[in-house]
Amino acid sequence: MKLAVTIPAYNEEKTISNVIREIRELKPDDFEGKIDDIKIIVVNDGSKDNTARVAKEAGADIVVSFRRNRGLARAFRQGIETALEIGADIIVNIDADGQYNAKEIPKLVKPILDGKADIVLGSRFKGWIEYMPMQKRIGNKIATWVTRIASGFPTSDAQTGFRAFSRDAAMRLHVLADYTYVQETIIQANHYGLKIVEVPVQFRKRQGDGKSRLISNIFGYAKRAGMIILRSYRDYNPLKVFGIVGAIFIIVGLYFGWRVLSYYYATGSVGSRLPSAILATLLLIIGVQTVVLGLLADMLKSQRMLLDDVLYRLKKLEYEKKE
């Protein structure tokens, strides 16, 4: 079987060679003899330093370079596509900063090799964390909690960039976001009924300048990641989302309408409650329209599911033909 390790990288010339070296130290025996070919794919996301050259010199099999920085999600997507093109049976994604221990890749791959999982997440919070800034730890916990609610999967670490995919799972996932992929893929995978498991992993202190290339501002990251989670949840649960919003408008509208009717029955006129009557009417109209919009979105969801299935089949045909 062939294993492809994808490494999205942005200005990581100081650390990427160590990551590649750790991967190169892996042997077939580490995978119980089930993996006999390991390919390393580096996606250079428009780095301004010598990341691409250093990766190639360190032993990367394939280096794909973007002319400009396009974001982690696109780099991840490109890595997955390249791995599928070369016929990878299992794909592992790992960060280029060396915080994850590449020697733990066999631990991630084992549940897939044993047929017990389609996707494996390397959980830092179930494992060992050498160092993580408090604001990042809190941000990860909050994002994980939100993702757990949105996806329905009881993940302990939704933000982990250390994860493994079976070939079939990789073809089923369609990353649409530009900024980050970590939450979207979990929501999609659980929606498609893919089996997800978590394994504890090590998380080391970042080397070099110690600054994250993705999370330079925790509040900016929270805002953008939050929007990705909301959009993903809306796309896969449109009737529930629009139904709840519509119900809120209708309930508030009925409350104001009840006040107007009570006043009318008591006095025989609307009088000073006219603004409330107008507000109640508007709220009820908006609420009903929102529910109708939810019904339409639910119909579109069915069409999207059919399109996703068609896209999966096309990918399967395309990559099998290339092999």
Side-chain angles (χ1 to χ4, degrees), residues 250-300:
I250 290 173
I251 291 171
V252 176
L254 289 174
Y255 168 73
F256 282 103
W258 172 78
R259 289 186 62 195
V260 173
L261 287 175
S262 298
Y263 186 81
Y264 175 78
Y265 286 129
T267 63
S269 66
V270 175
S272 61
R273 298 295 171 90
L274 181 60
S276 294
I278 296 173
L279 178 61
T281 303
L282 290 174
L283 289 172
L284 289 171
I285 291 173
I286 293 172
V288 172
Q289 288 181 334
T290 303
V291 172
V292 171
L293 187 61
L295 292 171
L296 293 174
D298 193 58
M299 293 171 61
L300 292 176

Side-chain angles (χ1 to χ4, degrees), residues 5-9 12-26 38-44 50-63 94-103 105 204:
V5 182
T6 61
I7 312 174
E12 298 287 6
E13 65 176 6
K14 296 180 180 179
T15 57
I16 195 165
S17 59
N18 292 331
V19 176
I20 294 173
R21 185 173 61 252
E22 284 185 343
I23 298 170
R24 283 290 173 222
E25 291 175 358
L26 296 174
I38 301 176
K39 298 296 184 185
I40 300 175
I41 302 169
V42 173
V43 182
N44 172 35
N50 296 311
T51 294
R53 179 178 60 79
V54 172
K56 197 67 179 175
E57 292 175 352
D61 296 288
I62 300 173
V63 177
I94 190 170
D95 292 349
D97 56 15
Q99 289 189 278
Y100 295 106
N101 185 353
K103 293 180 181 179
I105 287 177
R204 302 177 293 202

Side-chain angles (χ1 to χ4, degrees), residues 194-209:
L194 299 176
K195 176 66 175 177
I196 309 173
V197 301
E198 290 185 326
V199 297
V201 296
Q202 299 176 10
F203 188 68
R204 302 177 293 202
K205 185 176 181 179
R206 182 183 171 86
Q207 303 301 310
D209 57 18

Side-chain angles (χ1 to χ4, degrees), residues 31-88:
F31 302 94
E32 300 176 354
K34 296 178 180 179
I35 298 290
D36 53 15
D37 189 11
I38 301 176
K39 298 296 184 185
I40 300 175
I41 302 169
V42 173
V43 182
N44 172 35
D45 189 16
S47 298
K48 297 177 182 178
D49 61 7
N50 296 311
T51 294
R53 179 178 60 79
V54 172
K56 197 67 179 175
E57 292 175 352
D61 296 288
I62 300 173
V63 177
V64 181
S65 292
F66 295 157
R67 292 186 178 181
R68 61 181 180 83
N69 182 250
R70 299 175 65 184
L72 178 61
R74 290 194 179 185
F76 168 79
R77 186 164 65 231
Q78 181 62 57
I80 293 292
E81 290 174 359
T82 304
L84 291 171
E85 286 175 359
I86 65 173

